[in-house]
C-alpha cells in the first residue's frame, strides 16, 4: 500500500503495519515528533516517517472545539511561521519542526496531537455535559499533549488514560471520574443519599481540604472526596486469594498486614480472619531487595511461618517484629531473614535497598559470580590445611606476576582498598604494588546491599566515593548510571559487630542524622551506622578508619583509641597541630611516646589516595602522578601557592607542571575521575 506525495513530499510513502523494536528507539515521526510505534508510513529513499494517525490526519478541520470560527488547515514545517506562529495556542509549548493546524486569519496554530481529538461514528467530536462543570467536556486520548504532566481535577492524580477536558477553564478529568454516579448510597453514611458536586471542600474522611469532586450530604453538612469513599468489596486475587469486605467502626484497629494503627475504615477477610488498611490489600506477595539474595514472601502471622515462639528483629531497622502481625520473610527453608512491612514499603528504604515486587518467587535470579574473577593462577601452594594461589596475574597489574605472602606489613598499603596491609596479601617483586588477598579475589560483577542492581569492579582511576564522600584511588565498584563506591564502603556489610571500647552490633540506618560518636560530625544525608542496643553512631567515613596507622611524626605504629580516660587537661591536645582535642572523640595514640593526635592530622585531607597513583588531567597534555613534597615546595600552577600537601606532578621529563590536588580537582569536569 502506498500513499503518494503526502503534503507535497516528493516520494511515495509505504505502509508498515508494525514497527520493529530497534526503530522504535531511533526514529521519530515527522508529524508529532514522538517515537515510532505501531502502524506507520515511511519513505525508503529519504527516511521520512509518519505514524498512521499523523499520515491520515485531515487536511482541513471545520468547527474545531478549540477554534470554531474558522477552519484549521494542516501545515508542514515550512508554513508554520507564516501561517500560525511558533507556539501552540492550547498547550503553550513550542511547535518547532513538526506538523500543526493553523488558522491563517487569526494567525494561531495548534500541535497536530493537540488538535486530533476523538470522534464518534458520525465524525463529530465527542463532547459531554457534566453537572459539576458549566462548559462541555471534550474526550481526549492519552497521546494528547494537553494531558502531559497534568492532574485530574476530580481526584488529583496523574492523567494516564483517556480523559475529558475543558479548554476554556484548563480543567481535566479522568474518564472514570466523569463517569461517577451523580447519586449514591454508601455504608459510611447510611442516613441519606450523597450527591456528587465540584468545589473546594474539607473531607470528613481524610481530614484534608482541596478542590475536586466530592460527595455531599447537605442535610448533615458532610463532605467526602470521591476517592476517599471506600468501596464495599475489593477483589484483588493478584495480592490475596479472598475478597476483602469493608468494615466501618468508629474506633481504631491494628492492621494485620503492616502492624500500624488505623482509624474508622478497614477491610476484613473473613476466611483468613484478618483486618487491614485499604492500601495494605495491594501489598505484593513477594519482593526482592539488595540486602538479601533470596526472594521475600509476605506473611500475616510470623509464628505460623517459623512454627516457634522466638522473637525476631527486623533486618532493616532492628526493632522487634510482632509475631501476630504482618512481615516479609525469606521464602527459602532454614533462612531466618525477616523485615517489617512498614520498612519494606518506606520510600526511603525502597531507594536504599532497591525493593521491587515479584510476581512469582521463581522469577528471582541470583547473580552468578562464578567465573567472575579478574586474576589468573600461575602456581599454587599449601598454607596449613588450605591450598592457596602462590603466584597470580591480576588484571590491575598484568605487567608482572604477584606473589602470595601471609606476613602482616602495615608499613605498606593495599593498592585496592588503600588500607594498611593487615592480613595475607599479594605483592609485586618489581614494583611497589600490594593487594590484600581479599581484594585480589573480588568478583568483576556483584550485588551490594545499597541501591542499584549490579556493580562492576574498576581497578584504576581517581574518584569520589558516593557513600563516605572521600576522594579515593584504587579499586571501586560502579553502576551503569555512574554511582561509584570505594572498596572500604563496598565491603562493609549492612550489619556487623564493631569492636570499639566495647562491641557494638551496628546496622545502617538511612534516615539517621545523629552526631557521629567518633568525630562528632553530623550527616544530613545518606544516614549512618547505628548500634541496635545503644546510642553509638558511626558515619561511613569513620567506620572504615584503619585500626593502626603510621606518621612521620612518630616512629612507632599508632593505635586508634576510642576514648581518652586521662583527666589531665594538658593531655587533651594534638601533638601534631597543637590544637585542643575533645576527649570524647577518637584519636591515634603512641603508647611508647604517649603522643595523641587527631585522626585527620595522622591520615591527612585525602587519606585514601595512594602516592604514586596516576591521573589524567584534562587541562594538561601529559600524565600526572600524586606526590607529597617534603624537601622543597614548588608553586601550584593554579593558585601559585607552595605545594605542601597532596599534589600532582607531571611525569614527562622536562615538564615542570605541578599543582595542588584541591586546586586541580575543582577544574575537573565531572566528580568521578575514572579514566
Amino acid at each position: 500500500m502506498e500513499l503518494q506525495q503526502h503534503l507535497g513530499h516528493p516520494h511515495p510513502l509505504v505502509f508498515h503495519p508494525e514497527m520493529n523494536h530497534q526503530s522504535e528507539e531511533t526514529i521519530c515521526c515527522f508529524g508529532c515528533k514522538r517515537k515510532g510505534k505501531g502502524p506507520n508510513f515511511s519513505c525508503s529513499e529519504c527516511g521520512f516517517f509518519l505514524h498512521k494517525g499523523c499520515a491520515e490526519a485531515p487536511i482541513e478541520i471545520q468547527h474545531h472545539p478549540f477554534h470554531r470560527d474558522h477552519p484549521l488547515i494542516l501545515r508542514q514545517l515550512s508554513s508554520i511561521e507564516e501561517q500560525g506562529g511558533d507556539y501552540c495556542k492550547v498547550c503553550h509549548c513550542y511547535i518547532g519542526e513538526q506538523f500543526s493546524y493553523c488558522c491563517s486569519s487569526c494567525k494561531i496554530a495548534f500541535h497536530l496531537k493537540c488538535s486530533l481529538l476523538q470522534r464518534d461514528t458520525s465524525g463529530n467530536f465527542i463532547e459531554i455535559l457534566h453537572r459539576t462543570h458549566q462548559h462541555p467536556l471534550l474526550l481526549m486520548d492519552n497521546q494528547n499533549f494537553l494531558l502531559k504532566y497534568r492532574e485530574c481535577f476530580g481526584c488529583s492524580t496523574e492523567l494516564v488514560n483517556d480523559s475529558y477536558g475543558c479548554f476554556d477553564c484548563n480543567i481535566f478529568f479522568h474518564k472514570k471520574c466523569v463517569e461517577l454516579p451523580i447519586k449514591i448510597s454508601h455504608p459510611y453514611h447510611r442516613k441519606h443519599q450523597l450527591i456528587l458536586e465540584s468545589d473546594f471542600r474539607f473531607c470528613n474522611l481524610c481530614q484534608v481540604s482541596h478542590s475536586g469532586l466530592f460527595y455531599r450530604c447537605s442535610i448533615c453538612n458532610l463532605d467526602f472526596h470521591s476517592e476517599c469513599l471506600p468501596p464495599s468489596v475489593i477483589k484483588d486475587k493478584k495480592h490475596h486469594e479472598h475478597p476483602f469486605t469493608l468494615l466501618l467502626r468508629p474506633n481504631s484497629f491494628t492492621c494485620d498486614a503492616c502492624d500500624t494503627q488505623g482509624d474508622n475504615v478497614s477491610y476484613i477477610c473473613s476466611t483468613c480472619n484478618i483486618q487491614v488498611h485499604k492500601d495494605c490489600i495491594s501489598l505484593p506477595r513477594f519482593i526482592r531487595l539488595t540486602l538479601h539474595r533470596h526472594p521475600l514472601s509476605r506473611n500475616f502471622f510470623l509464628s505460623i511461618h517459623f512454627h516457634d515462639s522466638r522473637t525476631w528483629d527486623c533486618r532493616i531497622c532492628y526493632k522487634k517484629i510482632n509475631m501476630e502481625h504482618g512481615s516479609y520473610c525469606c521464602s527459602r527453608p532454614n533462612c531466618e531473614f525477616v523485615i517489617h512491612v512498614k520498612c519494606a514499603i518506606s520510600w526511603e528504604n525502597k531507594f536504599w535497598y532497591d525493593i521491587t515486587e515479584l510476581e512469582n518467587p521463581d522469577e528471582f535470579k541470583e547473580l552468578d559470580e562464578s567465573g567472575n574473577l579478574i586474576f589468573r593462577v600461575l602456581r599454587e601452594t599449601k598454607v596449613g590445611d588450605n591450598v592457596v594461589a602462590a603466584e597470580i596475574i591480576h588484571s590491575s597489574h598484568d605487567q608482572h606476576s604477584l606473589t602470595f605472602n601471609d606476613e602482616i606489613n602495615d608499613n605498606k598499603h593495599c593498592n585496592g582498598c588503600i588500607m594498611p596491609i593487615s592480613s595475607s596479601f599479594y605483592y609485586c617483586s618489581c614494583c611497589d604494588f600490594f593487594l590484600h588477598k581479599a581484594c585480589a579475589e573480588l568478583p568483576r560483577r556483584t550485588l551490594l546491599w545499597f541501591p542499584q542492581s549490579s556493580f562492576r569492579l574498576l581497578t584504576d582511576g581517581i574518584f569520589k566515593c558516593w557513600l563516605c564522600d572521600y576522594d579515593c584511588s584504587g579499586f571501586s565498584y560502579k553502576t551503569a548510571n555512574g554511582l561509584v563506591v570505594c572498596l572500604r564502603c563496598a565491603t562493609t556489610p549492612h550489619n556487623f559487630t564493631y569492636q570499639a571500647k566495647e562491641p557494638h552490633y551496628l546496622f545502617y540506618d538511612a534516615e539517621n542524622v545523629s552526631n557521629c560518636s567518633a568525630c562528632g560530625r553530623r550527616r544530613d544525608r545518606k544516614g549512618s551506622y547505628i548500634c541496635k542496643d545503644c546510642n553509638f553512631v558511626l558515619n561511613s567515613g569513620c567506620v572504615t578508619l584503619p585500626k593502626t596507622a603510621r606518621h612521620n611524626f612518630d616512629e612507632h605504629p599508632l593505635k586508634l583509641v576510642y576514648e581518652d580516660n586521662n583527666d589531665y587537661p594538658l593531655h587533651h591536645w594534638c601533638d601534631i597541630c597543637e590544637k585542643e582535642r575533645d576527649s570524647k572523640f577518637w584519636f591515634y595514640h603512641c603508647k611508647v611516646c604517649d603522643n595523641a593526635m587527631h585522626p585527620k592530622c595522622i591520615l591527612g585531607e585525602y587519606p585514601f589516595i595512594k602516592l604514586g597513583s596516576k591521573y589524567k588531567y584534562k587541562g594538561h597534555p601529559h600524565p600526572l602522578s600524586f606526590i607529597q613534597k617534603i624537601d622543597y615546595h614548588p608553586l601550584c600552577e593554579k593558585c601559585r601557592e607552595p605545594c605542601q600537601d597532596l599534589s600532582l606532578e607531571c611525569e614527562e621529563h622536562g615538564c615542570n607542571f605541578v599543582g595542588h590536588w584541591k586546586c586541580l580537582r575543582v577544574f575537573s569536569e565531572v566528580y568521578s575521575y575514572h579514566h
Side-chain angles (χ1 to χ4, degrees), residues 486-526:
C486 66
L487 279 201
R488 294 169 303 284
C489 292
T491 56
T492 301
H494 174 268
N495 51 284
F496 64 102
T497 299
Y498 187 92
Q499 185 64 49
K501 183 180 179 182
E502 56 188 22
H504 294 274
Y505 191 81
L506 304 182
F507 68 94
Y508 202 86
D509 183 354
E511 299 179 356
N512 186 275
V513 291
S514 302
N515 292 340
C516 176
S517 301
C519 65
R521 291 191 294 272
R522 174 177 173 173
R523 299 185 88 194
D524 294 329
R525 60 189 181 91
K526 299 181 185 172

Side-chain angles (χ1 to χ4, degrees), residues 621-634:
H622 309 138
L624 307 177
S625 60
F626 283 93
I627 58 166
Q628 187 98 40
K629 289 294 185 183
I630 298 175
D631 299 330
Y632 73 102
H633 306 292

Side-chain angles (χ1 to χ4, degrees), residues 327-573:
S327 61
Y328 280 101
C329 59
C330 184
S331 57
R332 303 289 175 88
N334 303 320
C335 187
E336 301 178 347
F337 187 94
V338 188
I339 62 173
H340 287 121
V341 169
K342 60 188 175 184
C343 291
I345 62 178
S346 159
W347 281 109
E348 182 76 19
N349 288 338
K350 280 186 177 181
F351 166 75
W352 273 95
Y353 306 118
D354 194 21
I355 300 170
T356 53
E357 180 174 357
L358 293 173
E359 293 288 339
N360 188 306
D362 294 336
E363 71 184 72
F364 183 87
K365 294 182 180 179
E366 296 185 42
L367 180 66
D368 184 10
E369 293 182 357
S370 61
N372 199 13
L373 301 178
I374 57 172
F375 67 90
R376 179 165 52 91
V377 178
L378 300 181
R379 181 169 52 87
E380 292 184 336
T381 189
K382 196 168 184 179
V383 178
D385 295 331
N386 300 317
V387 176
V388 300
E391 187 177 2
I392 64 171
I393 293 289
H394 198 274
S395 65
S396 64
H397 191 74
D398 55 9
Q399 63 267 41
H400 305 122
S401 64
L402 303 179
T403 306
F404 177 77
N405 193 316
D406 59 358
E407 298 177 3
I408 295 176
N409 185 351
D410 60 4
N411 283 316
K412 301 296 183 178
H413 286 74
C414 171
N415 282 63
C417 64
I418 319 301
M419 297 286 276
I421 297 295
S422 56
S423 60
S424 56
F425 63 97
Y426 289 96
Y427 70 95
C428 177
S429 57
C430 303
C431 313
D432 185 31
F433 187 90
F434 298 84
L435 277 182
H436 284 118
K437 181 175 182 289
C439 295
E441 294 173 348
L442 287 169
R444 189 185 308 276
R445 288 181 62 249
T446 191
L447 296 174
L448 303 177
W449 61 262
F450 35 81
Q452 311 296 329
S453 55
S454 178
F455 284 78
R456 180 170 60 93
L457 183 66
L458 301 179
T459 58
D460 66 348
I462 309 299
F463 59 94
K464 184 180 180 67
C465 176
W466 175 80
L467 199 57
C468 68
D469 291 328
Y470 276 115
D471 285 356
C472 308
S473 62
F475 293 5
S476 64
Y477 274 107
K478 185 176 183 180
T479 65
N481 48 356
L483 187 149
V484 185
V485 290
C486 66
L487 279 201
R488 294 169 303 284
C489 292
T491 56
T492 301
H494 174 268
N495 51 284
F496 64 102
T497 299
Y498 187 92
Q499 185 64 49
K501 183 180 179 182
E502 56 188 22
H504 294 274
Y505 191 81
L506 304 182
F507 68 94
Y508 202 86
D509 183 354
E511 299 179 356
N512 186 275
V513 291
S514 302
N515 292 340
C516 176
S517 301
C519 65
R521 291 191 294 272
R522 174 177 173 173
R523 299 185 88 194
D524 294 329
R525 60 189 181 91
K526 299 181 185 172
S528 301
Y529 285 92
I530 68 173
C531 179
K532 66 182 289 288
D533 300 314
C534 67
N535 296 324
F536 185 79
V537 177
L538 288 181
N539 63 41
S540 296
C542 291
V543 80
T544 58
L545 284 175
K547 300 285 186 177
T548 59
R550 288 186 175 271
H551 193 273
N552 294 332
F553 181 82
D554 196 299
E555 62 179 335
H556 307 109
L558 306 173
K559 182 181 178 181
L560 184 63
V561 180
Y562 308 103
E563 186 179 8
D564 194 345
N565 295 319
N566 192 324
D567 295 331
Y568 183 51
L570 294 180
H571 189 267
H572 300 155
W573 291 81

